[in-house]
Structures are given as C-alpha cells and as structure tokens.
Amino acid sequence: MSTPQPTPSLQGSCHCGAVRLTIPFVPDKATSCNCSLCRRVAGLWAYFEIGTVIVEGDPEHTADYVWGDKTLRTIRCKACGVVTHWLPLVPEPGARHGVNLRNFEPSLLASVQVRRFDGADTWTFLD
Ligand SMILES: [Zn+2]
C-alpha cells in the first residue's frame, strides 16, 4: 500500500523568506527556458493571471531587473538574491505573469510537467 501524499503547500518563498508567494492552484505545467536570463537564474516558470498570486514582501524586499525588449521585470529578493517571479512592465487586464516554482516545496514540483522552451533561439517548445 502506498502512503497518501500530503497536499503540497501552495506557499513558497525566497531563500531567506522575505518574499513569499501563494499560488491559487498547483499548475499542470511549468516552463524551463534556456534564454540568456532564464538559464542563469534557473527559473522554472508557471503562469498565473495577474492578481491571483498573493505576493508578500514586494516591493519592500525586492529589486527588479529589466532587459532585452523591456516588456517585463524580473523580480528578486534584495537580501538573498533569489528570483521569485516576473511581471509585465505594463500589466494588461487578464495578462498572466510568471512565478518561479523553484521557490516551492519539491513535492509540489513533483506533480508538474516541465516543458523545455527554446527562448534562446527558436522560441518554441523542444518537446
Ligand atoms: Zn530572500
């Protein structure tokens, strides 16, 4: 008999805990992107409608990074440096934003299908 698995917490945080995120549900899929930024921060992105993720500690404990075509800001903890999420620079109604699932329990990640995205070159999924 297998042991029932406890439901993973929907709350994650940066390493030091200053920035905390609560997602509305466990996503089916996450994106691992190889673009010049994502491969460095090791982001594993799930996307949620803006406003559905509870973010605590932002902006008082965060810093932003904007690059490339300057459409979004990548947000990290000022204290521990961990990238927690990104937001569009101009959030439009209904738009989604990315949350870095690496800040959540490994048991949550275990149920998520990771898709590899070629953001460096072809801008398509590799699977
Ligand atoms: Zn931190």
Side-chain angles (χ1 to χ4, degrees):
M1 257 178 71
S2 62
T3 312
Q5 296 298 307
T7 306
S9 172
L10 295 175
Q11 188 179 71
S13 74
C14 66
H15 192 258
C16 75
V19 184
R20 293 172 307 282
L21 304 106
T22 305
I23 54 178
F25 52 85
V26 177
D28 299 335
K29 295 184 171 69
T31 299
S32 172
C33 173
N34 64 357
C35 84
S36 59
L37 181 59
C38 288
R39 66 186 169 88
R40 286 178 167 84
V41 304
L44 188 57
W45 305 110
Y47 308 104
F48 298 94
E49 191 172 329
I50 292 171
T52 64
V53 177
I54 300 165
V55 183
E56 298 165 89
D58 179 21
E60 58 273 34
H61 296 298
T62 57
D64 292 3
Y65 180 59
V66 179
W67 70 291
D69 56 7
K70 298 187 169 54
T71 56
L72 55 87
R73 48 194 191 95
T74 304
I75 298 161
R76 67 184 183 277
C77 174
K78 269 194 295 204
C80 68
V82 167
V83 171
T84 51
H85 61 300
W86 60 256
L87 279 163
L89 276 182
V90 182
E92 301 195 355
R96 296 192 306 165
H97 73 115
V99 170
N100 186 0
L101 291 187
R102 296 215 190 269
N103 296 299
F104 292 76
E105 288 176 13
S107 60
L108 184 143
L109 290 181
S111 67
V112 178
Q113 180 197 353
V114 176
R115 300 193 68 194
R116 290 169 58 229
F117 185 74
D118 184 19
D121 188 20
T122 61
W123 206 250
T124 56
F125 284 101
L126 296 168
D127 49 34

Short mmCIF file of all heavy atoms in Angstrom, two decimals, residues 14-19 77-82, ligand 1:
data_model
loop_
_atom_site.label_atom_id
_atom_site.label_comp_id
_atom_site.label_asym_id
_atom_site.label_seq_id
_atom_site.Cartn_x
_atom_site.Cartn_y
_atom_site.Cartn_z
N CYS A 14 11.33 32.99 -1.12
CA CYS A 14 12.75 33.06 -1.44
C CYS A 14 13.54 32.37 -0.33
O CYS A 14 12.98 31.94 0.68
CB CYS A 14 13.18 34.51 -1.61
SG CYS A 14 13.07 35.46 -0.08
N HIS A 15 14.84 32.29 -0.50
CA HIS A 15 15.64 31.51 0.46
C HIS A 15 15.57 32.07 1.87
O HIS A 15 15.47 31.32 2.84
CB HIS A 15 17.10 31.46 -0.01
CG HIS A 15 17.92 30.47 0.73
ND1 HIS A 15 18.80 30.82 1.72
CD2 HIS A 15 17.96 29.11 0.65
CE1 HIS A 15 19.36 29.72 2.21
NE2 HIS A 15 18.88 28.68 1.56
N CYS A 16 15.60 33.39 1.99
CA CYS A 16 15.59 33.98 3.34
C CYS A 16 14.19 34.19 3.88
O CYS A 16 14.01 34.47 5.06
CB CYS A 16 16.37 35.31 3.34
SG CYS A 16 15.50 36.68 2.58
N GLY A 17 13.17 34.07 3.03
CA GLY A 17 11.79 34.18 3.49
C GLY A 17 11.21 35.58 3.46
O GLY A 17 10.06 35.77 3.85
N ALA A 18 11.98 36.56 2.99
CA ALA A 18 11.47 37.93 2.97
C ALA A 18 10.38 38.12 1.93
O ALA A 18 9.50 38.96 2.08
CB ALA A 18 12.62 38.91 2.72
N VAL A 19 10.47 37.34 0.84
CA VAL A 19 9.46 37.42 -0.23
C VAL A 19 8.70 36.09 -0.26
O VAL A 19 9.30 35.03 -0.37
CB VAL A 19 10.12 37.69 -1.60
CG1 VAL A 19 9.05 37.85 -2.67
CG2 VAL A 19 11.02 38.91 -1.54
N CYS A 77 14.69 38.85 -4.55
CA CYS A 77 14.82 39.31 -3.17
C CYS A 77 16.10 40.12 -3.03
O CYS A 77 17.17 39.68 -3.47
CB CYS A 77 14.83 38.11 -2.24
SG CYS A 77 15.17 38.56 -0.53
N LYS A 78 15.99 41.26 -2.40
CA LYS A 78 17.17 42.11 -2.20
C LYS A 78 18.15 41.48 -1.22
O LYS A 78 19.35 41.73 -1.29
CB LYS A 78 16.74 43.48 -1.64
CG LYS A 78 16.47 44.52 -2.70
CD LYS A 78 16.39 45.91 -2.12
CE LYS A 78 15.21 46.09 -1.18
NZ LYS A 78 14.78 47.50 -1.05
N ALA A 79 17.65 40.68 -0.30
CA ALA A 79 18.54 40.12 0.73
C ALA A 79 19.26 38.87 0.23
O ALA A 79 20.48 38.79 0.31
CB ALA A 79 17.74 39.80 1.98
N CYS A 80 18.52 37.89 -0.30
CA CYS A 80 19.16 36.61 -0.65
C CYS A 80 19.40 36.47 -2.14
O CYS A 80 20.10 35.55 -2.55
CB CYS A 80 18.35 35.43 -0.11
SG CYS A 80 16.75 35.19 -0.88
N GLY A 81 18.82 37.34 -2.96
CA GLY A 81 19.11 37.33 -4.38
C GLY A 81 18.30 36.36 -5.20
O GLY A 81 18.46 36.29 -6.43
N VAL A 82 17.43 35.60 -4.57
CA VAL A 82 16.66 34.57 -5.29
C VAL A 82 15.57 35.23 -6.14
O VAL A 82 14.82 36.10 -5.66
CB VAL A 82 16.06 33.57 -4.28
CG1 VAL A 82 15.02 32.68 -4.94
CG2 VAL A 82 17.17 32.73 -3.67
ZN ZN B 1 15.22 36.42 0.28
#
